[in-house]
Short mmCIF file of all heavy atoms in Angstrom, two decimals:
data_model
loop_
_atom_site.label_atom_id
_atom_site.label_comp_id
_atom_site.label_asym_id
_atom_site.label_seq_id
_atom_site.Cartn_x
_atom_site.Cartn_y
_atom_site.Cartn_z
N GLU S 991 -19.79 -0.96 -13.75
CA GLU S 991 -19.17 -2.24 -14.12
C GLU S 991 -17.83 -2.42 -13.44
O GLU S 991 -17.48 -3.52 -12.99
CB GLU S 991 -18.94 -2.31 -15.67
CG GLU S 991 -20.04 -3.03 -16.40
CD GLU S 991 -20.34 -4.46 -15.90
OE1 GLU S 991 -19.67 -5.42 -16.34
OE2 GLU S 991 -21.21 -4.61 -15.01
N ASP S 992 -16.98 -1.35 -13.43
CA ASP S 992 -15.75 -1.42 -12.71
C ASP S 992 -15.93 -1.90 -11.29
O ASP S 992 -15.27 -2.78 -10.74
CB ASP S 992 -15.02 -0.04 -12.68
CG ASP S 992 -14.40 0.32 -14.06
OD1 ASP S 992 -13.48 -0.42 -14.49
OD2 ASP S 992 -14.80 1.33 -14.60
N ILE S 993 -16.90 -1.25 -10.57
CA ILE S 993 -17.17 -1.53 -9.18
C ILE S 993 -17.67 -2.97 -9.05
O ILE S 993 -17.20 -3.78 -8.17
CB ILE S 993 -18.19 -0.53 -8.57
CG1 ILE S 993 -17.59 0.87 -8.57
CG2 ILE S 993 -18.63 -0.96 -7.22
CD1 ILE S 993 -18.60 1.96 -8.25
N ARG S 994 -18.55 -3.37 -9.92
CA ARG S 994 -19.11 -4.78 -9.83
C ARG S 994 -18.01 -5.83 -9.95
O ARG S 994 -17.90 -6.72 -9.17
CB ARG S 994 -20.17 -4.96 -10.90
CG ARG S 994 -20.93 -6.26 -10.79
CD ARG S 994 -21.80 -6.59 -11.98
NE ARG S 994 -21.06 -6.78 -13.23
CZ ARG S 994 -20.42 -7.90 -13.56
NH1 ARG S 994 -20.43 -8.91 -12.73
NH2 ARG S 994 -19.76 -7.98 -14.71
N ILE S 995 -17.13 -5.58 -10.96
CA ILE S 995 -16.07 -6.58 -11.16
C ILE S 995 -15.04 -6.59 -10.05
O ILE S 995 -14.65 -7.68 -9.51
CB ILE S 995 -15.40 -6.36 -12.55
CG1 ILE S 995 -16.44 -6.57 -13.69
CG2 ILE S 995 -14.22 -7.31 -12.72
CD1 ILE S 995 -15.94 -6.08 -15.07
N LEU S 996 -14.65 -5.41 -9.57
CA LEU S 996 -13.65 -5.38 -8.47
C LEU S 996 -14.22 -6.07 -7.25
O LEU S 996 -13.54 -6.89 -6.56
CB LEU S 996 -13.31 -3.91 -8.11
CG LEU S 996 -12.06 -3.81 -7.28
CD1 LEU S 996 -10.78 -4.02 -8.06
CD2 LEU S 996 -11.99 -2.41 -6.59
N LYS S 997 -15.51 -5.86 -6.93
CA LYS S 997 -16.12 -6.46 -5.76
C LYS S 997 -16.25 -7.97 -5.92
O LYS S 997 -16.04 -8.74 -5.01
CB LYS S 997 -17.50 -5.85 -5.50
CG LYS S 997 -17.43 -4.54 -4.73
CD LYS S 997 -18.80 -4.08 -4.41
CE LYS S 997 -19.47 -4.82 -3.24
NZ LYS S 997 -20.71 -4.17 -2.81
N LYS S 998 -16.54 -8.42 -7.17
CA LYS S 998 -16.70 -9.83 -7.43
C LYS S 998 -15.46 -10.64 -7.01
O LYS S 998 -15.52 -11.76 -6.56
CB LYS S 998 -17.01 -10.02 -8.94
CG LYS S 998 -17.21 -11.43 -9.33
CD LYS S 998 -17.59 -11.48 -10.88
CE LYS S 998 -17.47 -12.91 -11.36
NZ LYS S 998 -17.60 -12.92 -12.85
N TYR S 999 -14.28 -10.04 -7.23
CA TYR S 999 -13.01 -10.72 -6.94
C TYR S 999 -12.39 -10.22 -5.63
O TYR S 999 -11.23 -10.52 -5.37
CB TYR S 999 -12.00 -10.54 -8.12
CG TYR S 999 -12.50 -11.22 -9.34
CD1 TYR S 999 -13.27 -10.51 -10.29
CD2 TYR S 999 -12.34 -12.54 -9.56
CE1 TYR S 999 -13.71 -11.09 -11.47
CE2 TYR S 999 -12.82 -13.16 -10.74
CZ TYR S 999 -13.54 -12.44 -11.62
OH TYR S 999 -14.03 -13.06 -12.79
N SER S 1000 -13.20 -9.56 -4.79
CA SER S 1000 -12.68 -9.01 -3.53
C SER S 1000 -11.45 -8.22 -3.69
O SER S 1000 -10.48 -8.32 -2.86
CB SER S 1000 -12.39 -10.15 -2.51
OG SER S 1000 -13.58 -10.77 -2.16
N GLY S 1001 -11.32 -7.46 -4.79
CA GLY S 1001 -10.19 -6.65 -5.08
C GLY S 1001 -10.10 -5.42 -4.19
O GLY S 1001 -11.08 -4.97 -3.60
N TYR S 1002 -8.92 -4.88 -4.05
CA TYR S 1002 -8.68 -3.66 -3.29
C TYR S 1002 -8.48 -2.46 -4.27
O TYR S 1002 -7.70 -2.57 -5.22
CB TYR S 1002 -7.42 -3.75 -2.47
CG TYR S 1002 -7.53 -4.74 -1.31
CD1 TYR S 1002 -7.53 -6.09 -1.52
CD2 TYR S 1002 -7.61 -4.25 0.00
CE1 TYR S 1002 -7.66 -6.97 -0.43
CE2 TYR S 1002 -7.69 -5.13 1.12
CZ TYR S 1002 -7.74 -6.49 0.84
OH TYR S 1002 -7.85 -7.38 1.88
N ALA S 1003 -9.20 -1.39 -4.00
CA ALA S 1003 -8.88 -0.13 -4.74
C ALA S 1003 -8.01 0.72 -3.79
O ALA S 1003 -8.22 0.69 -2.58
CB ALA S 1003 -10.21 0.59 -5.06
N VAL S 1004 -7.12 1.46 -4.37
CA VAL S 1004 -6.13 2.19 -3.52
C VAL S 1004 -6.24 3.65 -3.81
O VAL S 1004 -5.98 4.16 -4.93
CB VAL S 1004 -4.71 1.74 -3.81
CG1 VAL S 1004 -3.80 2.32 -2.77
CG2 VAL S 1004 -4.59 0.21 -3.83
N GLN S 1005 -6.54 4.44 -2.77
CA GLN S 1005 -6.53 5.86 -2.97
C GLN S 1005 -5.06 6.38 -2.62
O GLN S 1005 -4.49 5.96 -1.61
CB GLN S 1005 -7.51 6.59 -1.97
CG GLN S 1005 -7.58 8.05 -2.25
CD GLN S 1005 -8.36 8.87 -1.22
OE1 GLN S 1005 -8.49 8.45 -0.04
NE2 GLN S 1005 -8.88 10.01 -1.66
N CYS S 1006 -4.59 7.25 -3.50
CA CYS S 1006 -3.24 7.82 -3.31
C CYS S 1006 -3.40 9.29 -3.34
O CYS S 1006 -3.24 9.96 -4.40
CB CYS S 1006 -2.32 7.33 -4.44
SG CYS S 1006 -2.26 5.57 -4.69
N PRO S 1007 -3.73 9.90 -2.19
CA PRO S 1007 -4.11 11.32 -2.17
C PRO S 1007 -3.06 12.30 -2.69
O PRO S 1007 -3.38 13.21 -3.46
CB PRO S 1007 -4.40 11.58 -0.71
CG PRO S 1007 -4.80 10.26 -0.15
CD PRO S 1007 -3.91 9.29 -0.88
N GLU S 1008 -1.80 12.14 -2.32
CA GLU S 1008 -0.80 13.08 -2.79
C GLU S 1008 -0.66 12.97 -4.29
O GLU S 1008 -0.54 14.01 -5.02
CB GLU S 1008 0.55 12.81 -2.11
CG GLU S 1008 0.72 13.48 -0.82
CD GLU S 1008 2.08 13.19 -0.13
OE1 GLU S 1008 2.96 12.49 -0.76
OE2 GLU S 1008 2.25 13.68 0.97
#
Side-chain angles (χ1 to χ4, degrees):
E991 263 306 271
D992 284 299
I993 294 170
R994 186 189 66 77
I995 296 170
L996 194 75
K997 278 184 75 172
K998 181 178 167 190
Y999 295 94
S1000 293
Y1002 290 72
V1004 190
Q1005 189 189 23
C1006 307
E1008 274 180 2

